[in-house]
């Protein structure tokens, strides 16, 4: 009975592999699956006949599969496993007494023995197991090395005048370095960190929330107080030593199913140098909300500062040509510099051709009066927009965080695209110039000083997602005030922040052509010499937990249009790699300005993009909520677009791991020193196994003068510490929810250093939601 059932299983496997293998071969893929299918079918026939030669043939399949797998991908266990896992399990089953003893070496079965075929299969299985064991000790994709320990400059510009133990802006200072000069926590003692306190905000994800309801805030610390915001736009002040709540303010921003995002990455802090200390609103916290307001609060008690703007509130929809509720809001903290508060805004991607402007506006930080506005659709006129006039609709926007250099008098703004992202017909000259770029604006007038574009005629939503990091860099021509701009495609643009000219070379490379009728593609695209952009995908890079879903992914891969990075959108469906998630996203990178090195978290996930003619777009469904995945309607455009990650029928990435790394690079040489898999599948697999596969993440790192980098972000629920020099993990702490935020560090008057992270999860990556703020410190 066991042999008959086994034969039936082999027959079904052979049939499935045969159908899929023929389909794959017709598409131009590997013929292995056809050969394997024939082997399974013949083995099934021999098992039905009780012939021991089934074992011999299966031994040949094991050896052949092993040779093919090594030829395709080498000794990478995570890629060998799906190719050979099922085959090895079945091979071991065939060697069990229930199967082996029921087989004969001849047709008559008289006096027969299966010893030789069984021995052959046993040897094949042992060889395969030895190779599997060896491959587990290898990581052919890892880069090992060390960053220089040299202190390049004894006097560094951190970009802000504040106590070493404070953290006043999103990236600590207006330079966005995410670097702290604190060094009580070191590579030698970081493994002793323990929880100092935990606070829960009470702002939790609700059933009526949109999918991407996320907790991404980086707390600010001023003297003895932390300032945070929550996904539903509460502002909260906490005692830094104990985590006790000092005050809470609820903006009542409401719920709207059209919002693509429900989050807050941070608040902004300002101390009025002309105000009497202790006077109401002498120190302020500015809270951006998801219903397009900016609210000024007294940092001492959370009361509204009514002298600012309209009784304490700026209404950011003013001057917008269109104003559908839920389409425009600020998810990121504004920049405080030169007596101004400067803010951009997020617009819903691919909803409509009639959306708000991407204008950047500077307001007097005390009064809320508009000082200047820079609209990329009308870039030369920056004087305040007169009443009754409107900004350019759908102009490239800035949803992320900007940086500022008050000494140079410049603000550095990362820009996105005109929506719809995948349709480039009819874009204006200004849109073509400013989309997916970093632009430097005069802090006092808003006039443009320079622009550096990272994608020409962007059809892939490769907006610049991260805060530019400002750091002085030693070059052969002396010290240059530099800027490091991470991008979704994996390039790090290292520029002279005075002029936008490259410090590390940038070149133009050929790009795929063949846009849809009426559109075009740029013949070349820029790429930095410092890049984490992955090599193009091939069929052998397709992955699965078994040979079956891997086969499906191979088929789907060849059905898509794919010619490498910047394959144009298409009606058949195009593969976008790096995907919309980005190699780097809003978490950016952290930079040590003393050693002039960087620490980052490159992530690799392919996406798909398929254009849908307007006539084929179904009407909106009842209860539809905003999302960047699935059908994006692009109302008013000739095509909608269906987007999402490239995943298998099991919902796992179709491309082979690793999907996430930590990495270190030298900003003087542009060389990547090390790159290691980061994170496990503990919280993303049916069985909580802590396999260090290298998982994606969203969030950002920080670096300390103690030589330690801290990073949550990965889709397993951990906060981790790393040695910045070589990338080795030194410590980890289990979080009660997803840590898709950027941590920070501070110290108090007693010198004790703390590390704080918010753990609240991220709707797009499916991590556990929560409302936690957790502080860690060394034991007494």
């Amino acid at each position: 009975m066991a042999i008959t059932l086994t034969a039936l299983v082999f027959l079904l496997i052979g049939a499935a592999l045969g159908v899929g293998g023929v389909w794959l071969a017709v598409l131009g893929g590997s013929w292995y699956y056809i050969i394997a299918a024939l082997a399974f079918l013949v083995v099934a026939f021999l098992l039905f006949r009780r012939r021991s030669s089934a074992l011999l043939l299966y031994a040949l399949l094991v050896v052949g599969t092993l040779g093919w797998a090594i030829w395709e991908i080498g000794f990478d266990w995570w890629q060998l496993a799906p190719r050979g896992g099922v085959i090895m399990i079945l091979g071991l089953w065939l060697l069990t007494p229930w199967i082996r003893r029921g087989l004969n070496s001849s047709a008559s079965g008289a006096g027969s023995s299966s010893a030789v075929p069984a021995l052959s299969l046993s040897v094949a299985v042992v060889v395969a197991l030895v190779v599997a064991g060896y491959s587990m000790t290898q990581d052919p994709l890892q880069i090992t090395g060390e960053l220089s320990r040299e202190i390049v400059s004894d006097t560094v510009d951190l970009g802000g005048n504040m106590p070493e133990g404070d953290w006043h802006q999103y990236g600590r200072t207006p330079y966005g370095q995410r670097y702290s000069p604190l060094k009580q926590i070191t590579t030698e003692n970081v493994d002793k960190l323990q929880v100092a306190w935990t606070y829960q905000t009470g702002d939790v994800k609700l059933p009526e929330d949109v999918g991407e309801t996320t907790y991404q805030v980086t707390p600010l610390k001023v003297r003895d107080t932390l300032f945070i915001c929550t996904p539903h736009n509460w502002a909260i002040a906490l005692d830094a030593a104990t985590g006790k709540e000092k005050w809470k303010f609820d903006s009542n921003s409401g719920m709207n199913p059209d919002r693509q995002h429900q989050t807050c990455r941070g608040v902004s802090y300002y101390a009025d140098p002309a105000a009497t200390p202790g006077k109401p609103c002498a120190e302020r916290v500015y809270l951006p909300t998801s219903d397009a307001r900016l609210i000024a609060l007294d940092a001492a008690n959370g009361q509204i500062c009514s002298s600012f703007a309209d009784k304490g509130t700026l209404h950011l929809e003013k001057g917008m040509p269109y104003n559908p509720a839920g389409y425009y809001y600020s998810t990121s903290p504004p920049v405080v510099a030169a007596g101004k508060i400067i803010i951009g805004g997020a617009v819903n991607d691919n909803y409509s051709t009639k959306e708000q402007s991407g204008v950047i506006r500077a307001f007097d930080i005390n009064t809320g009066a508009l000082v200047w506005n820079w609209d990329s659709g009308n870039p030369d006129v920056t004087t305040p927009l007169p009443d009754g006039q409107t900004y350019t609709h759908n102009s490239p926007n800035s949803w992320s965080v900007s940086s500022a250099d008050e000494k140079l008098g410049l603000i550095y703004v990362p820009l996105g695209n005109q929506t719809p992202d995948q349709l480039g017909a009819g874009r204006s000259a200004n849109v073509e110039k400013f989309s997916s770029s970093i632009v430097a604006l005069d802090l006092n007038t808003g006039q443009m000083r320079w622009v550096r574009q990272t994608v020409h005629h962007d059809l892939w939503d490769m907006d610049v997602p991260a805060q530019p990091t400002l750091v002085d860099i030693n070059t052969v021509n002396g010290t240059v005030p530099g800027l490091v701009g991470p991008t979704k495609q994996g390039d790090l643009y290292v520029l002279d922040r005075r002029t936008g000219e490259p410090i590390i070379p940038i070149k133009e490379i050929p790009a795929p052509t063949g846009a849809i009728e009426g559109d075009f593609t740029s013949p070349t695209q820029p790429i930095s010499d410092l890049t984490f952009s992955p090599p193009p995908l091939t069929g052998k890079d397709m992955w699965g937990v078994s040979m079956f879903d891997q086969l499906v992914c191979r088929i789907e891969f060849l059905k898509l249009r794919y010619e490498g990075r910047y394959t144009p959108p298409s009606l058949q469906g195009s593969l976008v790699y790096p995907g919309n998630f980005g190699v780097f996203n809003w978490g950016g990178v952290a930079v040590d300005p003393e050693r002039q090195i960087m620490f980052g978290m490159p992530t690799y996930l392919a996406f798909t993009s398929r254009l849908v003619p307007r006539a084929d777009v179904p009407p909106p469904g009842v209860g539809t909520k905003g999302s960047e995945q699935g059908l994006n309607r692009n109302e008013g455009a000739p095509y909608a677009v269906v987007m999402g990650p490239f995943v298998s029928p099991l919902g796992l990435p179709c491309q082979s791991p690793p999907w996430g790394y930590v990495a270190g690079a030298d900003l003087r040489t542009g060389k990547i020193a090390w790159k290691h898999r980061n994170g496990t599948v503990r919280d993303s697999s049916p069985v909580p196994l802590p396999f260090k596969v290298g998982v994606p993440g969203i969030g950002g790192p920080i670096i300390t003068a103690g030589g330690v980098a801290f990073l949550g972000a990965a889709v397993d629920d951990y906060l981790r510490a790393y040695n910045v020099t070589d990338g080795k993990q030194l410590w980890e702490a289990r979080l009660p929810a997803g840590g898709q935020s950027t941590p920070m560090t501070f110290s108090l008057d007693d010198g004790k250093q703390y590390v704080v992270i918010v753990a609240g999860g991220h709707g797009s990556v499916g991590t556990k939601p929560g409302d936690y703020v957790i502080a860690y410190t060394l034991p007494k």
Side-chain angles (χ1 to χ4, degrees), residues 233-253:
N233 309 134
W234 303 353
I236 301 173
L238 303 176
D239 183 284
T242 65
K244 300 288 187 182
E245 183 181 303
K246 290 187 172 184
W247 56 257
K248 180 190 294 184
F249 171 83
D250 184 352
S251 69
N252 295 306
S253 60

Side-chain angles (χ1 to χ4, degrees), residues 13-14 17-18 20-22 24-25 28-40 58 60-72 80 82-88 546-548 550-551 554:
I13 290 174
L17 291 179
V22 169
L24 181 65
S30 172
W31 281 65
Y32 161 79
Y33 296 92
I34 294 178
I35 297 171
L38 292 173
F40 269 99
Y58 200 77
L60 292 175
L61 176 62
V62 171
V63 172
T65 298
L66 181 63
W68 166 74
I70 293 173
W71 171 76
E72 272 210 325
L80 288 175
R83 287 167 168 82
V86 169
I87 288 175
M88 286 295 297
S546 71
M547 62 194 305
F548 306 111
Q550 184 185 50
L551 173 57
R554 283 186 180 240

Side-chain angles (χ1 to χ4, degrees), residues 506-532:
I506 300 167
K507 57 180 175 286
E508 294 281 332
I509 58 173
T513 58
I516 60 171
E517 184 177 354
D519 207 340
F520 67 94
T521 59
S522 173
T524 64
Q525 292 286 357
I527 188 170
S528 170
D529 276 3
L530 176 51
T531 184
F532 289 88

